[in-house]
Amino acid sequence: MRSPLLPTLLALCWPLAASAVDAPAGLYFQHHDWVVACDNTRTCRAAGYASGDDSTLSVLLTRAGGPNQAISGRMSLQPIDDQPQPKGALHLRIQQRDLGVLAPATEPGVHVLSAAQTSAVLSALVRDGGIAVVDAAGHAWPLSDKGAAAVLLKTDEFQGRVGTPGAVMRKGAAAESSVPAAVAKPVVRKAPTLSTPPDDPAFSKLAASPALRAALRATLEEPSCEGLLDTDPDLPISNSPLQIQRLDAKHLLVNVPCWRAAYNSGDGYWVIGEKAPYQPQWVTSDAIDYGDGQIVASHKGRGLADCVSDETWTWDGTRFVATSAISGGLCRGVPGGTWELPTRVTEVR
């Protein structure tokens, strides 16, 4: 049976359902202790972590698309359980050289790197490493540089910076103006939806229709939605009842459980017409909820929920448009994940 997909965590790239002309698909790439997520506006966010689960130290390097864009840096240290708690101000140290105090951000445990500190971190990542955060008591939290070179090169490639002076990994003499421009966020206009009267007898009759179940199954390339299959004692959610609600005067929304796992689940959603042949439009088999014109998916990378991926689809009056996709990065013990790393962004109006 279909195993749970963690869409943002596992995908290397994303098709974009609503995009501006020439907008790139998003990118997600992981190598050792580093990961990069680039979205459809060409903004990239590279996150590096400490090696292993015994430290929550992480750095986030963000760069917008387009020529002459600087890299901004943030660091997070949010010890959990019995891990050492920092005492006093935190200093950035590279190869035993003190690069100054880290400025606290508004979020607890997060610090903003100055331009000089960000530049020093980048130089160390592409050379000798040795990056750590040190507290007033002398306790050090090292940052891994394992995987950083591959991730930073992938970032340069995605943004079209390779061979330019602004590249991190492969600088060159090509004009900075050759770097592709940033892309504006696509605008998606959310259409109004109608409420469904409770216990609508017409919908109850439609939900029991074998023809509708067959039409829904026909939209899938393989029998990947357990809830649509015939009753099978070995498949707990097989032959689940369909749930139907109204979107507008012409469209209905159908959902059914598709898969269940230890700490994740996924429901299938389709847009249909009220009468046969229903012309179902499949949206996703990974959703957890629907409300006010938006379908939502959210999945944990593991039971601790320290790395979570989220997606949304928004009703535009004709179809559900993919409007966001966000990864939580690597699982390092921080509840909810350390950073939000989008691969798809839009402006929903």
Side-chain angles (χ1 to χ4, degrees), residues 11-210:
L12 294 182
C13 61
W14 289 92
L16 195 64
S19 61
V21 176
D22 298 328
L27 167 80
Y28 186 89
F29 174 78
Q30 177 188 336
H31 193 56
H32 296 299
D33 296 320
W34 278 75
V35 62
V36 61
C38 298
D39 65 38
N40 47 295
T41 70
R42 292 201 174 99
T43 293
C44 290
R45 297 167 178 85
Y49 301 79
S51 295
D53 288 339
D54 57 349
S55 170
T56 63
L57 181 67
S58 181
V59 66
L60 179 68
L61 301 171
T62 302
R63 192 178 210 179
N68 301 305
Q69 293 295 324
I71 298 174
S72 63
R74 292 158 68 85
M75 275 192 163
S76 173
L77 180 60
Q78 304 177 59
I80 57 172
D81 300 331
D82 57 352
Q83 294 177 355
Q85 299 293 318
K87 296 178 173 61
L90 295 176
H91 286 242
L92 175 65
R93 183 181 294 174
I94 299 179
Q95 294 292 342
Q96 303 306 312
R97 179 182 168 215
D98 190 338
L99 273 294
V101 174
L102 297 177
T106 55
E107 308 97 309
V110 179
H111 297 76
V112 178
L113 299 181
S114 68
Q117 289 171 331
T118 301
S119 178
V121 167
L122 286 167
S123 295
L125 289 173
V126 301
R127 292 184 177 87
D128 301 320
I131 303 168
V133 168
V134 183
D135 70 3
H139 186 87
W141 289 265
L143 180 74
S144 174
D145 60 358
K146 192 175 182 182
V151 160
L152 294 172
L153 176 58
K154 187 69 71 172
T155 303
D156 284 340
E157 290 173 344
F158 182 90
Q159 295 187 322
R161 301 185 191 279
V162 173
T164 69
V168 176
M169 293 303 301
R170 293 182 184 172
K171 296 181 182 293
E176 188 69 13
S177 60
S178 67
V179 175
V183 178
K185 281 185 183 181
V187 174
V188 177
R189 299 191 180 277
K190 185 163 77 75
T193 55
L194 299 175
S195 60
T196 301
D199 303 321
D200 187 314
F203 286 179
S204 298
K205 182 178 179 180
L206 180 59
S209 167

